[in-house]
Amino acid sequence: MSDGSYSTEVISGGYLPIDEEASVRANRSYWDNSAEEYLAEHGSFLGASDFMWCPEGIHESDVHLLGTVARKQILEVGCGAGQCSRWLAEEGAIATGIDLSAGMLEQASRLQRENPLSPDATPPTFVRADARSLPFASNSFDIAFSAYGALPFVKDAEVVLAEVARVVRPGGKWVFSTTHPMRWMFPDVPGESGLTVEYSYFDRTPYVEIDADGQPVYAEHHRTMGDWVSLLVGAGFTIDSVTEPEWPETNTTAWGGWSPLRGALMPGTVIFATTLPDA
């Protein structure tokens, strides 16, 4: 869940074309450079071993979108600092997290050193990998999930979904949260100026930030609700539910463009819960 630039100096940002590999390079660099600062700002909200689906503050312990997790093999795609996988480990799961960013995985190691799990928990395994090429055998996991990981930052999301379908066992779950598509129409600011439509919902041009050398240093990709449905069906998943979390009255924290003001009027997140049918 990003909310702007951290350590990397950004000269300009706008809606620009970018190819698949340039997007991956930009986001790897962004998260490597931003990991420590990102956790310093948002770590108290995310916790050390908590499972937050979104800036709205929706916790897996309340919504149970993954179902029973004890003794299940679970993959987190785009795990960041691994807080969700750590929570699952405390719940008895055998968790594995992958992330493109070495900087984020260093933060996962730091959290483990500073906040060790209970003796009965099996610590998650963390692997540096591109979500478009998962380094696991087919049918390796009972459940896969992603909490704002990987999918907003790749141009070729269909490749990620195909990889998830490959490594999840038939009958397994795939659940992910991402920015709600309608948010693409509005400026990404938390106040009143963020309530006026400025962009076309149907314009899929990525949002790209550029540094002083003219190199992309961040990229985020927009898909409509229809796009997501088509991609999921095309990858072989059955959609079980679509959650558009309402902003809880108890959450007074603004996170970039997510805020109580905007959250009272429009969804900021969508969570797709799907199943890979039995063969």
Side-chain angles (χ1 to χ4, degrees):
M1 289 174 274
S2 177
D3 58 352
S5 297
Y6 291 94
S7 301
T8 302
E9 182 181 1
V10 174
I11 300 301
S12 64
Y15 296 89
L16 306 167
I18 187 171
D19 66 33
E20 292 86 349
E21 299 307 319
S23 181
V24 169
R25 288 194 302 270
N27 285 312
R28 178 190 292 116
S29 175
Y30 176 87
W31 290 110
D32 280 347
N33 292 328
S34 304
E36 185 173 355
E37 193 173 350
Y38 181 86
L39 267 293
E41 181 173 357
H42 298 298
S44 60
F45 181 87
L46 294 172
S49 303
D50 274 330
F51 192 144
M52 291 291 184
W53 277 110
C54 51
E56 287 85 350
I58 306 303
H59 200 286
E60 172 60 13
S61 62
D62 295 321
V63 293
H64 305 291
L65 292 174
L66 300 187
T68 301
V69 300
R71 296 180 296 280
K72 296 292 181 65
Q73 296 277 353
I74 302 181
L75 174 65
E76 180 174 9
V77 178
C79 65
Q83 296 96 328
C84 297
S85 286
R86 285 166 51 79
W87 181 86
L88 288 167
E90 291 282 19
E91 297 295 309
I94 308 302
T96 301
I98 69 104
D99 202 275
L100 187 68
S101 167
M104 273 296 185
L105 295 180
E106 288 173 5
Q107 293 301 309
S109 296
R110 178 185 63 79
L111 287 180
Q112 179 60 22
R113 290 193 305 270
E114 297 177 358
N115 305 273
L117 299 177
S118 62
D120 294 336
T122 300
T125 299
F126 293 115
V127 179
R128 186 182 182 192
D130 188 329
R132 303 173 306 160
S133 182
L134 296 173
F136 308 109
S138 299
N139 304 325
S140 293
F141 298 96
D142 302 300
I143 299 169
F145 77 96
S146 183
Y148 274 85
L151 288 168
F153 309 109
V154 295
K155 182 174 183 179
D156 43 353
E158 68 279 2
V159 179
V160 177
L161 296 178
E163 277 291 272
V164 172
R166 180 182 66 80
V167 302
V168 170
R169 297 178 180 117
K173 294 179 180 293
W174 163 234
V175 185
F176 69 94
S177 61
T178 191
T179 305
H180 197 289
M182 73 170 291
R183 286 282 303 278
W184 203 253
M185 299 186 294
F186 298 86
D188 196 27
V189 293
E192 293 284 347
S193 60
L195 300 179
T196 302
V197 171
E198 289 191 3
Y199 312 105
S200 169
Y201 176 78
F202 301 104
D203 186 350
R204 278 81 161 182
T205 306
Y207 173 76
V208 180
E209 294 180 350
I210 304 295
D211 68 10
D213 297 323
Q215 296 300 311
V217 292
Y218 179 85
E220 193 164 344
H221 300 268
H222 167 56
R223 297 165 186 96
T224 67
M225 291 289 278
D227 291 339
W228 279 122
V229 169
S230 295
L231 287 169
L232 287 165
V233 171
F237 293 100
T238 297
I239 299 173
D240 300 318
S241 69
V242 177
T243 302
E244 299 168 297
E246 296 186 41
W247 194 275
E249 292 182 2
T250 54
N251 185 2
T252 59
T253 302
W255 181 319
W258 290 266
S259 68
L261 173 67
R262 280 160 55 98
L265 299 172
M266 70 179 82
T269 294
V270 61
I271 309 174
F272 291 95
T274 74
T275 301
L276 189 66
D278 290 318

